Amino acid sequence: MIQAVISQEGQRTPPKEGRPRPLVTMQSVSKRFSNGTTALSEMSLNIEKGEFISLLGPSGCGKSTALRIIAGLGDPTSGSIDWPSSRIGANGKPQGDIGFVFQEPTLMPWKRVFDNVYLPLRLAGRPKSAVREDIEAALETVDLQDFAKAYPRELSGGMKMRVSIARALVTKPKLLLMDEPFAALDEITRQKLNDDVLKLWRNTGITIVFVTHSVFESAYLSNRIVVMKARPGRVHSEFPLLTSVERNTHYRTSEDYRQACEKVSRALLEAMGSETDGHS
């Protein structure tokens, strides 16, 4: 059963003494673009090692912007972002500890699956001969070991997205960021990939932050849901979810799942109601 809301308006209880440091910390992060749009306002969030967090909110609330700032693909206008246990390069960004799966697979159509997965390692200057086993292992993780020589045009939409996930995993990141990766897929494929990602999370212990518009997807996947307010985005509320119950077809029809969806839906409606609170 879903537990109680543990925070409101982005305020988090400080970590207890002796607890491991968060993997990533966002502290009062705001983002204002050159066109005057404020995407994020004073957003604070701790990402703990081994969590599966879903960022849930209405369109335009800054979920993807937050994800890109966490990844080091953009700088906040104000506030701070910290990766306390990562290797930080001269540019102040984490090195090699983050994998990113975008909304579209963004595969190179002229390259075979194997070479698409090899891309981040090639960009890092690593010869293919030295990382062949890593590429094969990443493909096996997403059950595409038999499609290494295929071209993207020969794959289904779900298979293309799995190639994208393998490409994000091949560098062996600590943190996997996923920006609505299954939104354009049919429901059957989406549910199958939800199960695949959960299996990946359980088997590897990787930390995942997953952006979604779907209450049902967030309640199925996560062990913590972060509900964001409408633009400018900031944390409205957070829900920890029990993970002892196996997530499968039976769970989708269970009372625990129904209650989780109901409570998260209510929080999302409250967050969307804040569109008229003077910040938009």
Side-chain angles (χ1 to χ4, degrees):
M1 183 182 297
I2 193 168
Q3 298 177 17
V5 178
I6 61 172
S7 69
Q8 294 282 346
E9 297 293 335
Q11 301 300 314
R12 288 186 55 81
T13 303
K16 294 181 180 179
E17 189 174 349
R19 283 187 59 183
R21 298 179 71 186
L23 192 64
V24 182
T25 298
M26 299 178 71
Q27 185 63 44
S28 301
V29 167
S30 296
K31 178 65 177 181
R32 185 178 179 86
F33 292 104
S34 57
N35 64 1
T37 299
T38 300
L40 297 174
S41 176
E42 299 288 319
M43 180 171 176
S44 295
L45 179 69
N46 285 344
I47 301 170
E48 310 290 347
K49 182 179 179 181
E51 284 194 294
F52 195 129
I53 298 175
S54 283
L55 297 183
L56 177 69
S59 295
C61 76
K63 302 184 297 296
S64 296
T65 300
L67 213 65
R68 288 174 178 270
I69 289 175
I70 293 170
L73 298 177
D75 295 316
T77 304
S78 62
S80 63
I81 179 92
D82 184 29
W83 302 268
S85 62
S86 296
R87 302 184 306 275
I88 304 300
N91 62 354
K93 307 298 184 184
Q95 292 183 322
D97 286 341
I98 293 176
F100 204 116
V101 180
F102 295 91
Q103 294 180 14
E104 300 293 334
T106 60
L107 303 180
M108 298 178 291
W110 62 91
K111 291 286 189 180
R112 298 181 189 271
V113 165
F114 188 96
D115 289 314
N116 270 283
V117 175
Y118 171 53
L119 177 62
L121 298 175
R122 180 172 68 82
L123 294 175
R126 302 183 66 183
K128 189 184 297 186
S129 59
V131 295
R132 182 171 296 276
E133 290 185 1
D134 292 334
I135 298 169
E136 291 171 349
L139 287 171
E140 187 172 355
T141 298
V142 297
D143 294 325
L144 286 178
Q145 61 270 27
D146 295 333
F147 293 86
K149 295 182 179 181
Y151 287 98
R153 64 177 178 270
E154 300 171 319
L155 306 178
S156 68
M159 294 170 74
K160 291 177 184 176
M161 190 54 70
R162 281 193 276 158
V163 175
S164 180
I165 294 171
R167 184 177 57 194
L169 293 175
V170 76
T171 59
K172 302 178 182 177
K174 295 179 181 177
L175 176 63
L176 182 62
L177 305 174
M178 308 185 76
D179 189 5
E180 294 189 81
F182 311 142
L185 301 175
D186 65 86
E187 192 65 20
I188 294 174
T189 303
R190 185 169 183 161
Q191 290 187 10
K192 173 64 170 64
L193 288 174
N194 283 172
D195 289 335
D196 289 345
V197 169
L198 276 177
K199 181 181 177 181
L200 166 70
W201 176 57
R202 292 195 182 102
N203 290 346
T204 65
I206 195 171
T207 305
I208 297 178
V209 180
F210 189 98
V211 166
T212 181
H213 285 109
S214 171
V215 168
F216 306 105
E217 188 170 54
S218 67
Y220 186 75
L221 289 174
S222 320
N223 71 337
R224 178 155 61 106
I225 299 173
V226 176
V227 179
M228 293 179 62
K229 287 191 175 185
R231 189 171 63 232
R234 60 269 196 216
V235 175
H236 170 266
S237 53
E238 301 182 33
F239 295 88
L241 300 178
L242 294 179
T243 56
S244 56
V245 179
E246 185 177 358
R247 308 289 174 86
N248 53 28
T249 302
H250 299 295
Y251 179 70
R252 290 184 186 277
T253 58
S254 70
E255 179 62 16
D256 283 347
Y257 181 58
R258 187 199 67 77
Q259 289 187 23
C261 291
E262 180 182 349
K263 292 189 177 183
V264 175
S265 294
R266 190 178 304 125
L268 182 59
L269 286 173
E270 291 173 358
M272 292 174 67
S274 66
E275 288 186 32
T276 57
D277 66 1
H279 292 283
S280 56

